[in-house]
Amino acid sequence: MRRPDQQTTTRPTTDPAPGTGTGADATADTPPDGGTGAGSLPDGTTGSGHSAGDLTTEAVLAPYLRGQAADFLRSLRLHHEHSAPADAGGHDAAAATRALRRAARRISGSLHTFRAALDPHWADQLRAELAWLSGVLAREHAYANRLTRLVEALHQLSGPALPAARGARAAGETSASDAQGRAALGVGAARAGALLERRLTLARTRSHSAALQALGSSRFHAVADAVALLASDVPLAPGTTGRTAEALLEPAERAEQRLLAAVAALPPADSEPYNEAQDAAWHQARLLLRLHRYAHEVVLGAAAPALASCGHALDLHRDAVEAAAAAAAAARTPRIAPATAYALGVLHADQRHEVEAARAVFRETWPYATALTAP
């Protein structure tokens, strides 16, 4: 694996990436505390200080999966202890749910990347079930965050420091037009906020009910049982036992190459703004970055802090894209007042600006600088 400060001089071969969850997953994937730089250490050791040649695949991969399984079960126990309706302020339950999903994503991503070292049928089945669970649990949190983001943006946009008004002045518009724009937005902002609150609160409530139903289902209990078995026994592929940990480097490097290829293929900074067709490529890069980070944790035994900033930028990019889509969907509500539609249109434009800002931050913080300029 490559250190983030090393440059890529050739453009990697593109390989489609599987998702480690669903598009409803809307929580930033915060890495564990601590860690080293991404990639192999200069002396060829792992993050724990052992030479890769001195360790077996089983000694590296199995403890990681067992540890994530233990985190999953611990988070599940805490969720049961602190469960409360979302509207009642069940913060402990929400934190436990986030930790549960984080462990599920790490197990699922590792099962994909290192599938060749594991029982393939078992790995594929458990990975699919963990993706289902993570997606179901993510939706309530996603809708809550989206509503907060949009309402706060409306409040800022309808205030005296309206960005749209500043942009209009820069384009030569008259101050009278600016005042009219602020007045029109002020009239529609309250109604737009109320409309968004009705729509997203309803979606959140339904997602909360779906999550509770999922957590009480036989399907979930089967997943929990499988993870409980994983905490004590990792089904390895025949012939894996005794192989050196070097066998894990090849799949980890493939995950890295898929990421570099996806980033190299991203639209350039000077491409057309407000182009929703480009969003999918950025979402793909986000999922591949997540897989790369998980592979780094397995191989080196630590997180990759150099990738934290660009990963956060892609999370913000996803949030802004989904918020813009929610504003556009609300604007299509039949028979809404013109002022409400106007406010939602301004809100949509504001969130698309946030999309562009997140892309700029990603480019500034991406450690493989050459990959962004490869032909």
Side-chain angles (χ1 to χ4, degrees):
M1 297 176 68
R2 183 181 295 102
R3 292 174 61 96
D5 52 0
Q6 292 178 329
Q7 293 188 339
T8 305
T9 56
T10 60
R11 182 169 177 171
T13 303
T14 302
D15 189 8
T20 56
T22 70
D25 183 2
T27 299
D29 188 40
T30 306
D33 293 336
T36 64
S40 301
L41 300 181
D43 57 1
T45 61
T46 66
S48 60
H50 297 289
S51 171
D54 295 338
L55 294 175
T56 63
T57 295
E58 182 179 13
V60 173
L61 180 58
Y64 179 84
L65 289 174
R66 287 197 296 266
Q68 295 302 324
D71 287 346
F72 180 100
L73 297 173
R74 187 180 306 112
S75 301
L76 179 59
R77 183 178 65 253
L78 291 174
H79 184 277
H80 288 329
E81 292 174 356
H82 301 293
S83 290
D87 293 337
H91 300 298
D92 292 333
T97 299
R98 288 193 295 271
L100 184 69
R101 289 173 44 232
R102 191 176 78 170
R105 289 193 300 267
R106 278 169 166 75
I107 297 171
S108 179
S110 300
L111 294 181
H112 165 73
T113 300
F114 303 104
R115 181 178 182 272
L118 300 163
D119 181 307
H121 176 73
W122 167 83
D124 292 343
Q125 186 174 32
L126 181 55
R127 180 164 62 91
E129 292 302 286
L130 289 172
W132 161 76
L133 176 63
S134 182
V136 169
L137 296 180
R139 294 188 186 104
E140 179 186 0
H141 181 81
Y143 286 123
N145 279 4
R146 199 168 305 153
L147 177 59
T148 299
R149 180 187 185 95
L150 289 170
V151 170
E152 290 179 351
L154 269 176
H155 178 73
Q156 294 174 359
L157 289 169
S158 59
L162 178 60
R166 291 200 301 268
R169 286 195 292 272
E173 297 278 341
T174 65
S175 58
S177 295
D178 297 342
Q180 290 174 356
R182 284 197 298 273
L185 183 57
V187 171
R191 293 179 179 177
L195 175 59
L196 288 168
E197 185 168 3
R198 287 196 302 271
R199 292 171 61 93
L200 293 176
T201 299
L202 177 60
R204 178 187 178 186
T205 301
R206 288 174 174 170
S207 297
H208 180 70
S209 299
L212 291 178
Q213 183 177 5
L215 290 174
S217 67
S218 59
R219 182 178 183 181
F220 170 75
H221 288 298
V223 175
D225 289 345
V227 175
L229 291 175
L230 175 62
S232 59
D233 179 37
V234 178
L236 298 173
T240 300
T241 302
R243 295 181 62 188
T244 67
E246 293 288 347
L248 299 176
L249 292 179
E250 182 179 353
E253 288 173 356
R254 284 199 301 269
E256 181 182 69
Q257 289 300 311
R258 285 193 294 267
L259 169 63
L260 293 177
V263 172
L266 290 174
D270 58 353
S271 60
E272 180 184 0
Y274 294 97
N275 190 343
E276 284 86 349
Q278 297 176 356
D279 293 341
W282 288 87
H283 294 331
Q284 179 78 340
R286 174 178 170 271
L287 293 176
L288 289 171
L289 177 58
R290 180 176 283 180
L291 283 175
H292 172 55
R293 287 174 48 216
Y294 297 165
H296 184 283
E297 291 178 11
V298 172
V299 173
L300 296 187
L307 296 174
S309 295
C310 54
H312 181 61
L314 291 180
D315 287 339
L316 292 178
H317 176 275
R318 182 270 323 276
D319 293 345
V321 166
E322 294 180 346
R332 293 191 291 270
T333 302
R335 298 182 297 279
I336 60 174
T340 306
Y342 173 75
L344 290 169
V346 173
L347 182 59
H348 174 268
D350 173 73
Q351 292 303 300
R352 290 306 303 183
H353 282 302
E354 292 296 317
V355 170
E356 296 301 321
R359 292 177 181 180
V361 172
F362 173 81
R363 293 186 178 98
E364 292 169 1
T365 57
W366 176 242
Y368 301 98
T370 307
L372 286 173
T373 59

